[in-house]
Amino acid sequence: SSDDTASGGDACGNKIAFFGALTGPSAALGINENNGVKLAVDKYNKENTDCKVELVPLDSQGSPDQAPQLAQKAIDDTKILGIIGPAYSGESEAAGPLFNEAGLVTITPSATRPSLSEQKWKTFFRAVGNDFSQGPAAGNYIKNVLKADTVFVIDDQSAYGAGLADEVKKVLGPSVVGSDKVQGDGKQVEFSAVVTKVKAANAKAIFYGGYYQEAGLIRKQLTAAGITAPLVAGDGVNDGAYITSAGAAAAEGTILTCPCQPAAEARGTFVQEYKALNGTDPGTYSDTAYDAANILLAGIKAGKTSREGLLEFVKGYSGEGVAAKYKFVEGGELDPAEVKVWAFKVVGGKVVPDQEIPKS
Amino acid sequence: MEAVPTREPLLEVDKVTLRFGGVVALNEVDFTLYKGEILGLIGPNGAGKTTCFNAMTGIYQPTEGQIRFRGQKISGKKRHQITKMGMARTFQNIRLFPEMTALENVLVGTDAHNKTSVISALFRLPRYWKEERESREKAERLLEFVGIRGRLHEFARNLSYGEQRRLEIARALATDPALLCLDEPAAGFNPAEKEELLQLIRQIRDTGVTVLLIEHDMRLVMGVTDRIVVLEFGKKIAEGLPAEVRDNPKVIAAYLGVPDDAA
Amino acid sequence: MLLEIDDVSLLYGRIQALHGISLTVDEGEIVALIGANGAGKSTTMRAISGIRPVASGSIRFNGEDITKLRADLRVRRGLCQAPEGRGIFPGMTVLDNLDMGAYTRRDRAGIAQDLDRVLNLFPRLAERRKQAGGTLSGGEQQMLAVGRALMSRPKLLLLDEPSMGLAPMLIQQIFDIIVEINQQGTTILLVEQNAQQALARAHRAYVLETGRIVKSGTGAELLHDPAVKEAYLGVA
Amino acid sequence: MNFDDLFSNFGTYTTTGLTQGAIYALVALGYTLVYGVLRLINFAHSEVFIAGAFAAIWTWNGFGLDQNSQVSGIGSIMFYLLVAMIVAAIASAGTATVIERVAYRPLRRRNAPPLAFLITAIGASIAISEAFGIWTRRRPEGAPILVSQDPLFHIFGVPIDAVQLLTLGSALVMMIALDLFINRSRVGRGIRAVAQDANTAALMGVNKDRIILIVFIAGGSMAGVAGLLYDVRIQTLTYSVGFLLGLKAFTAAVLGGIGNLRGALVGGLLLGLIENYASGLFGSQWKDFAAFALLVVLLMFRPTGLLGESLGRARA
Amino acid sequence: MTNVLEKVRSGREAAGERWRGAPRWVRWALLIAVIAFFYALPNKEFYQYLGPIPTPGANFTQVMFTVSIYVLLAVGLNIVVGFAGLLDLGYFGFFAVGAYTVAVLTSPSSDLKTLWPWLLAVPVAIALTMVSGVMLGTPTLRLRGDYLALVTLGFAEMIRIGAVSSEFLKGQRGFNQIPHPPGEYADGKPFFGVLDARPYYWLVLTVIILVVIGVRNLTHSRVGRAWISIREDEDAAQLMGVPTFKFKLWAFAAGAAIAGLAGALFAGKQNFVNSQNFELLNSIIILAAVIFGGSGNIVGAIVGGGLVAYMIERFRGIELLGVELYEYRFLFFGLVLVVMMIFRPEGLIPNRRRAAEFKDRRKEVTVGE
Ligand SMILES: Nc1ncnc2c1ncn2[C@@H]1O[C@H](COP(=O)(O)OP(=O)(O)OP(=O)(O)O)[C@@H](O)[C@H]1O
Ligand SMILES: Nc1ncnc2c1ncn2[C@@H]1O[C@H](COP(=O)(O)OP(=O)(O)OP(=O)(O)O)[C@@H](O)[C@H]1O
Ligand SMILES: CC(C)C[C@H](N)C(=O)O
Ligand SMILES: [Mg+2]
Ligand SMILES: [Mg+2]
């Protein structure tokens, strides 16, 4: 739902929009981000009571099918100067051309599919690392920390999940003893065949590329069948919703990666402020989204109240946020030097930071 | 009843046997239908008359034997091909197109010989216009002929039983058959109506159509047929001129019973 | 009065098939209903048995107003119809079909007895007791439909063209059966195209034309009525 | 194609396939019954199933059990299973009844064409499914682990667990009971009669509405039990799973021969097996593909399913 | 309640009667006015005066494009379901075939790398969908009624899964940079751009008009009668000389071709096509649209397709008590289907055939009584 506590335009009437899933099967991650953006706008408006910025939430439900329509809606509203999002890779793919054509700047805090930056969209910016960093990191963690020499790799065939799994496989090489693909989007709930395969492969670790809903079900069914090998998964699973889906007992010990740092480590008073506004702890990408919003807001503050102006501003931006330092290189990627990948672990029914992983 | 005008065979049923599991519905049935005649096919209930029709029109394949129509074997032919060859039928249990009007039901029949293709219909080429006009005229003529012209635009579903039977005949005639097979067309008619039907069948024959008639009403059968074939338990037990058949003791025993009704 | 129909009209969509029909059937009678194709005979039967709602008028059965009663409840009160077009359950065996006739009955012994009676009446059915109803020949189905109606032991039996599709020998037989069960106490309302036979056996009869009763009288009267003769018996 | 995987795990694929198939079969019965009597693909039957599955979970929640609870003691496990089964059956049968009353009966009264029924069925299905989705905020609900999936014993080296026994056992028992009911009882005969010719059945004294209600209740209860078994096996329930499961169950019904009760069983089990074998052979993502491919191929050779139609008439 | 309904019905019928009774030129004028209205509709200068009709939560022109695609699909499916009586639950599968054909032939992400222009790919897409219609139809059209329904549904699902899982069709990763239809303004800007949906809408609208004329011609001919006779009684149709299999295949192929065309138009506008565009629910929505509007009637199908697609989009941006109704759109959609069917089981604008029936009845009465 879209309660706009942070909104409130005025004479200036400038707006920014968040583009991502706020409802639907993978909404948890989108809500994390939207809350971060909300905080940024809220703070901005408190400081600039004379010229506020309104936040427009655009709920894509994570579906590429909805994305072009929604992008068009954002483009039609000429007061919208920039977009935080799209949050997922699939919808980014579908909406990107429209934003590019309209010259409406987008900063995604989370869509990690590498090829997004290769489309020659001049409006695309990514505030996190991509799966070329996350994938190898996850693979290295499995190899070096878990020391698993037999790994079973599963993915959900999504734009994001399949790509990530491929990167992991590249790093693990021959230790991948089996792999399988499942259907995402809530289309599959019965994974007995996967379980059978994992069991037969006698894997010491399992990697899953996809989103938290399916990951939870797979973990649950693996555990029920007596498989105790740890599950490793990427940022798409990195949320408490995964634990709800898998059940606390089964989820325990799962390793989750993210090309980001723990939100709890964010600098300054971010964590407290976030909690005060949203009533929950920040989740994966809450801080990145907050930072991305701040980049746009900084531009607006600097008087870049046209789309071209803001786009130029973002392109040339360089500065420090609560999660990282931001500077965009070619294709809109975050400066590789600034990319960090972290591993998290489910302990006691909570996702807690485990350690930073070297990227290669 | 004078004898058959020509002896040119139109339909030859040649030692046809048809079994359903244990039931032998037709047992070496053998008869010939000549051009221009009206042949009656009679026999007790369950004797195999309808089954014989079904074998002729391609609904069942004979277990043994052959059926030849205009010298060609029927077996292996598609149902619609058999119709195009010139055989048409009505059904004992009425099978109209219930949600089509009487007119359209007949038009489907006329379409059997029309050639309008999807392309010429799509672009309304001249052939389309010509065939539509001719078909419509023909259909109206046929409805007039069977006496339900007034119900042109009525859905077939809404016609009474008797009207539906008439429509079935009109639709069958619309396919320009050489042979018209009528399965108990008079069922559900009262004697006066049967009288009309008798006239109708004669008229049909007079337009050059050969008629094969299944009917239980002996007055009608005697009144209209040129020859009669009698089946019992799937076997042919008699064949001949109406008067001969009527007096055949076998037929009386198997079928007619006390001959008061047949008078 | 077992059955009393008063001023019944009936519509099919916008077509009015019955225009204020009134007729009565007394306990123990055979009443015949004759008329041309489309006159509304079957429609009258449908109104009585309740598969078609009437637009106006009333139907009383056995002293009770059944105008608005559901069809199956009318059967429970002893009113049974053998429908036009036979209504055989095609996927059920001959025996199952006959059993369905006795659906509302609970007296096992009586049912068994009636089953024997029907199978005796129609030995062909006995022969085919396991055959699916839908594969019977037309005449066989007709026997089954009549036999099934007998199985319900109705007070009033509605027969819609019971002789249709039957061989001459059987027609004779069917009419004999009708008289016989009538003598055993079943009242009968009979629709027949075989008007000669029907009128000869009916106590009373009605003539229907385009949804209206145009004539009534005893069977013998109508049998000799010249107009009826011409219209329905054919000029013999 | 991974024949290795298929052959080395053939036993496990078989047992899991049969278990899944048993659930399909139970749901398929509801489709087959309603189809047989009303000639209607009751699309809303998937939601009848979902209602039972949720009812079971909520019953456990009512006893204070959530997905993280551990229950021990055969007595209390049996108790929880039994209570939930009854509640699920009632909830499903109730949902089915409501659907029949609200969505289908008015159409019957109006003599609506068959396609209209299909659309109300679809409409009812979408609406109910969405209602569950909104109610559960589109989140999955976890079920407590009541029955352990640790192997009880091995047959030819294939582990067999209690969930599998429970599922297959209940499905078989329910199915035999239903078969006897339809083929041996008077009401069963009434059901078959309405299936073939409802008007004539009314002329025989059969109360059509009552028969239809019975059919919905019978099919509904089966679906409810299937819902419970699903919960026990999968341990998680999302509002949207009904659609695909329902589709599979209907596929199973058609595979076996729609309107044919035994066909539903055969079709369900076959479908479960094929899905699992295909998962092994081609990968899990091809599982549903295999299910539908099986359907297409089988119908090409047997246009009325494996065992043919029986409740209603074979279409002429 | 029934009274009101009765009144509505008689009012509608009266309107229908008047329409049929009106002189030819009046009907033409009205028709042209309606068509002109729809051409004008996506212009903001026009629709801003239309009160609640424009969608508040989404770009109205985009919505109209979606609506027009659904209308086109409904017109195509109506041939299959409404006329030939073949229950096709997987119609959207053909739409997918059309869209994918264009994608594979034109997109740089395709393995083929043919990079055709859009226009060249369209006839191939239509031909290929027709072929796929025939390929699906040949083995399955022997099946009757609901078996066919399930097989077609299975087919659509197989296409979707195939698209998700096969390397060649790129799954969710999809195809991007699919080119647009050709054409330039005087100043060299492309006529079919990314942001303005109007040209696409106009294109589809024009296609719809042409397709409707074609379908109308077919149904008023031997071909249409063959379809309807098959729907009514297939056996009897065969015995009346209708090559039923051939005409069923034609119905299937014609329906498929229209869906393929719709898919090609969609891909040309969308720029990006992936497996998530082809959910099973879409097939069901279109079927619902056809029957909702009145199956067997072209106008009914158009109205049904338009209303259903519009209805779903209309919920976007409406808030009630702080919740956006868009989330509840399918709940409402489902309820509307149920309620509508209960009150108008024959669809909003039923069969023209019934109208003919009434007309001639009127004549009968004046003659007979
Ligand atoms: N599909 C079938 N399966 C089994 N028996 C069948 C089948 N079709 C017909 N029969 C049997 O074959 C015999 C011949 O039936 P047919 O319909 O040809 O009789 P008929 O001569 O037309 O009788 P009627 O005058 O009563 O219509 C009947 O005894 C019937 O029961
Ligand atoms: N289902 C229906 N819908 C619309 N009109 C119908 C329907 N059934 C019958 N009719 C019409 O009602 C009138 C009376 O039909 P009915 O079947 O009662 O005639 P009938 O006297 O039994 O004739 P027959 O001797 O031909 O059986 C006929 O004009 C018929 O067209
Ligand atoms: C929100 C994130 C988990 C999204 C994911 N990284 C993607 O690319 O789709
Ligand atoms: Mg016969
Ligand atoms: Mg009648």
Side-chain angles (χ1 to χ4, degrees), chain B:
Chain B
M1 294 295 127
E2 61 261 60
V4 186
T6 69
R7 287 310 251 173
E8 194 181 330
L10 184 66
L11 179 88
E12 292 152 280
V13 177
D14 187 4
K15 292 232 164 39
V16 165
T17 300
L18 210 154
R19 289 190 202 91
F20 298 107
V23 180
V24 185
L26 295 177
N27 193 349
E28 307 216 323
V29 172
D30 212 13
F31 63 87
T32 304
L33 189 60
Y34 298 98
K35 253 185 202 152
E37 70 174 343
I38 301 176
L39 180 76
L41 186 59
I42 65 170
N45 294 120
K49 304 178 296 294
T50 301
T51 307
C52 190
F53 262 34
N54 287 339
M56 283 159 48
T57 47
I59 292 183
Y60 297 142
Q61 292 297 328
T63 321
E64 286 157 35
Q66 276 285 327
I67 298 173
R68 274 185 303 276
F69 180 57
R70 297 178 139 175
Q72 292 183 41
K73 275 191 264 176
I74 288 291
S75 65
K77 288 239 159 43
K78 299 255 167 55
R79 294 179 198 176
H80 64 90
Q81 289 170 332
I82 296 175
T83 307
K84 279 200 184 122
M85 284 167 67
M87 195 185 320
R89 69 172 291 179
T90 65
F91 297 84
Q92 185 170 8
N93 303 313
I94 294 171
R95 298 285 290 270
L96 290 164
F97 306 121
E99 293 260 323
M100 293 175 96
T101 62
L103 175 69
E104 287 169 321
N105 265 280
V106 180
L107 284 176
V108 171
T110 61
D111 281 337
H113 292 284
N114 282 346
K115 303 239 161 10
T116 307
S117 64
V118 173
I119 301 300
S120 50
L122 189 59
F123 298 107
R124 302 217 156 162
L125 302 182
R127 161 174 282 155
Y128 163 86
W129 294 108
K130 178 165 162 284
E131 286 190 351
E132 282 299 293
R133 199 183 51 246
E134 288 171 359
S135 297
R136 167 97 190 209
E137 280 163 12
K138 180 165 151 199
E140 288 186 20
R141 226 171 36 239
L142 285 169
L143 286 170
E144 178 94 62
F145 184 58
V146 298
I148 51 172
R149 169 78 208 259
R151 317 223 58 177
L152 203 65
H153 290 295
E154 191 68 68
F155 276 165
R157 165 167 59 78
N158 296 346
L159 299 176
S160 83
Y161 201 82
E163 291 165 332
Q164 295 191 7
R165 287 218 166 279
R166 290 165 198 263
L167 181 54
E168 278 227 324
I169 295 174
R171 186 180 65 174
L173 284 175
T175 66
D176 277 336
L179 170 62
L180 177 66
C181 306
L182 302 172
D183 196 349
E184 299 195 26
F189 281 22
N190 69 34
E193 290 163 337
K194 281 179 183 164
E195 190 59 40
E196 284 176 39
L197 181 71
L198 188 145
Q199 300 300 341
L200 185 68
I201 294 175
R202 287 218 181 102
Q203 285 171 22
I204 291 172
R205 193 258 313 266
D206 292 345
T207 63
V209 179
T210 310
V211 178
L212 178 57
L213 173 71
I214 297 183
E215 185 49 63
H216 285 302
D217 185 290
M218 286 318 285
R219 184 154 34 171
L220 184 67
V221 173
M222 291 299 155
V224 74
T225 56
D226 300 314
R227 271 185 330 124
I228 295 178
V229 170
V230 190
L231 297 181
E232 189 197 11
F233 293 122
K235 268 207 158 103
K236 185 172 84 178
I237 56 166
E239 177 172 3
L241 299 177
E244 295 167 15
V245 166
R246 186 182 53 200
D247 298 332
N248 183 327
K250 262 199 201 137
V251 178
I252 294 175
Y255 184 57
L256 299 173
V258 220
D260 79 353
D261 197 58

Side-chain angles (χ1 to χ4, degrees), chain E residues 133-171:
Chain E
V134 172
M135 262 166 43
L136 174 71
T138 309
T140 54
L141 281 177
R142 284 194 311 144
L143 302 173
R144 304 235 164 165
D146 301 312
Y147 289 93
L148 181 67
L150 189 59
V151 166
T152 48
L153 197 156
F155 157 78
E157 195 57 2
M158 281 161 73
I159 290 193
R160 190 189 66 78
I161 298 169
V164 173
S165 303
S166 91
E167 246 336 283
F168 186 69
L169 293 178
K170 297 274 174 271

Side-chain angles (χ1 to χ4, degrees), chain A residues 157 180-181 183 187 189-190 192-194 196-197 200 213 217 220-221 224 244 247-248, chain D residues 5 9 13 20 67-68 140 149 230 233 235-236 241 244 276 279 283-285 287-288:
Chain A
Q157 310 180 80
D180 202 358
K181 288 175 180 292
Q183 298 197 50
K187 289 219 161 51
V189 291
E190 209 269 352
S192 59
V194 178
T196 305
K197 291 180 187 186
Q213 193 93 288
L217 295 180
K220 196 172 204 174
Q221 291 176 29
T244 324
Chain D
D5 181 28
N9 302 314
Y13 284 134
Q20 179 65 22
Q67 66 168 341
N68 297 321
Q149 299 188 8
Y230 176 94
R233 186 168 128 78
Q235 301 164 7
T236 307
V241 299
L244 191 65
N276 267 280
S279 300
S284 297
Q285 75 270 32
K287 169 176 146 189
D288 298 338

Side-chain angles (χ1 to χ4, degrees), chain C residues 109-136:
Chain C
I111 295 176
Q113 197 182 333
D114 283 351
L115 184 63
D116 279 345
R117 184 169 71 129
V118 170
L119 292 181
N120 273 332
L121 280 178
F122 302 110
R124 194 54 182 262
L125 296 182
E127 235 172 74
R128 298 292 167 87
R129 56 180 81 204
K130 294 272 173 217
Q131 187 171 330
T135 62
L136 293 175

